[in-house]
Amino acid sequence: GTGGGIRIADGYKIDKTLLNGKEMQAILAGLKSLDSVSGTKEYQQLMDKIVPKDIGEEQNIYDASGNIVIDLASHYKGSLSEKIALFKEAMEKNRLVEFEYYAISGESHRTVEPYLLIFQWKGWYLYGFCLQRQDYRLFKLNRLVNPKLKEENYSKRNYPMPNLNVDEMYHDNINLKVLFAKNCKWQLIDEYGIESFQETEEGLLFEGHFANKDSMMSWLFSFGNQVTILEPAQIKEEYLVIIDAIKEKYRET
């Protein structure tokens, strides 16, 4: 009748027979990864509801660690968890957020309608509609400071899913050919795989495509004098200009 209905009883646990061991471990691994950046115990509490208290000999099946461990935190775990919690609250309540943002183009104050939290490219990002730019933007959480929840609410838009394809986000389109010292092998394998280079008498011949010149140049400089740019000639010239500027700076000091 009026006001009637059904509800799940307090303390109810899902019937463990609905899930096999592999399915349960997959769920627990995902929940534990979220707990690594949540800053709260909400996902641990959810795991406690799923896992039976008295599991006896089935401990290995329901072990929350299983054989996969995913840690989504960073060196900035404390501040990262606080930001994630704030943006989750903003999305749940449809509240605007504001913060200071630091990018290559400079510093800026942003007011944003938050829609998604994304883990991509080894980092966390906020995806939302920026009122200053009147467009959708990705903001890296580590470069976002002093976030605040504003009093104003926003009407949720039918937002497009972000395009996370690096080649489409950046358009420098550089085909790089370089020679690395042989002691760089482990790093090339770690970042691009063992098929990314050929071993020669002179060193490791690497050829790769880069969509963003700034990140590519930073990557090359991280190898110090263990890398020699072969092609394209323009990148070699720009690299030398930067080296000369560094040398001149240290001559002055």
Side-chain angles (χ1 to χ4, degrees):
T2 302
I6 61 173
R7 68 183 179 86
I8 297 176
D10 293 338
Y12 170 80
K13 293 189 187 308
I14 189 170
D15 185 352
K16 65 181 181 179
T17 61
L18 295 176
L19 300 169
N20 62 36
K22 289 184 177 179
E23 292 169 336
M24 182 64 79
Q25 285 187 351
I27 291 172
L28 295 176
L31 290 174
K32 197 168 186 181
S33 70
L34 291 173
D35 217 31
S36 67
V37 290
S38 68
T40 67
K41 296 295 182 182
E42 58 180 314
Y43 297 106
Q44 181 61 55
Q45 292 168 357
L46 181 53
M47 285 189 280
D48 291 340
K49 290 181 180 180
I50 294 176
V51 179
K53 289 184 178 179
D54 184 15
I55 55 181
E57 295 179 356
E58 296 177 331
Q59 173 69 46
N60 63 320
I61 295 178
Y62 295 102
D63 184 356
S65 63
N67 53 13
I68 297 177
V69 177
I70 305 170
D71 190 344
L72 300 178
S74 72
H75 297 296
Y76 311 96
K77 183 175 181 179
S79 61
L80 179 64
S81 298
E82 293 172 2
K83 291 173 185 176
I84 288 176
L86 184 145
F87 293 135
K88 283 179 62 180
E89 180 183 356
M91 288 183 277
E92 290 167 1
K93 297 179 179 179
N94 288 355
R95 297 266 294 277
L96 291 171
V97 293
E98 62 178 348
F99 48 82
E100 305 300 324
Y101 195 65
Y102 296 81
I104 295 175
S105 57
E107 305 173 19
S108 59
H109 181 85
R110 302 296 184 97
T111 303
V112 175
E113 300 172 4
Y115 290 115
L116 296 172
L117 284 166
I118 299 172
F119 184 79
Q120 177 81 343
W121 309 311
K122 303 179 183 179
W124 281 94
Y125 296 80
L126 173 70
Y127 176 70
F129 187 83
C130 177
L131 298 189
Q132 279 75 20
R133 300 293 185 263
Q134 284 296 297
D135 200 1
Y136 296 93
R137 291 287 191 271
L138 275 174
F139 301 96
K140 190 169 185 178
L141 263 58
N142 283 348
R143 289 195 268 119
L144 176 162
V145 300
N146 298 324
K148 294 182 177 63
L149 199 64
K150 293 178 69 69
E151 293 298 326
E152 297 96 320
N153 290 86
Y154 64 92
S155 298
K156 188 169 289 188
R157 305 169 190 261
N158 292 320
Y159 60 88
M161 291 301 292
N163 183 351
L164 301 177
N165 187 319
V166 177
D167 288 341
E168 294 184 22
M169 291 185 68
Y170 301 103
H171 308 285
D172 287 331
N173 196 30
I174 300 169
N175 292 313
L176 182 70
K177 185 175 181 180
V178 294
L179 187 69
F180 287 96
K182 293 185 178 181
N183 60 2
C184 298
K185 183 187 293 188
W186 68 271
Q187 191 169 347
L188 293 177
I189 292 174
D190 179 47
E191 297 184 6
Y192 289 97
I194 197 167
E195 298 177 352
S196 65
F197 60 89
Q198 296 178 353
E199 295 194 53
T200 67
E201 292 183 3
E202 293 80 15
L204 308 174
L205 184 61
F206 172 92
E207 295 187 56
H209 171 78
F210 290 83
N212 183 263
K213 184 172 68 174
D214 291 331
S215 62
M216 181 197 72
M217 295 292 264
S218 297
W219 180 67
L220 289 173
F221 272 105
S222 71
F223 289 91
N225 66 348
Q226 303 298 299
V227 60
T228 304
I229 300 173
L230 303 177
E231 297 177 10
Q234 180 183 350
I235 295 299
K236 184 191 297 186
E237 292 170 4
E238 291 183 28
Y239 200 80
L240 288 171
V241 168
I242 297 173
I243 291 174
D244 287 340
I246 294 172
K247 289 166 63 177
E248 188 62 30
K249 181 176 182 178
Y250 280 95
R251 286 196 187 101
E252 292 173 356
T253 57

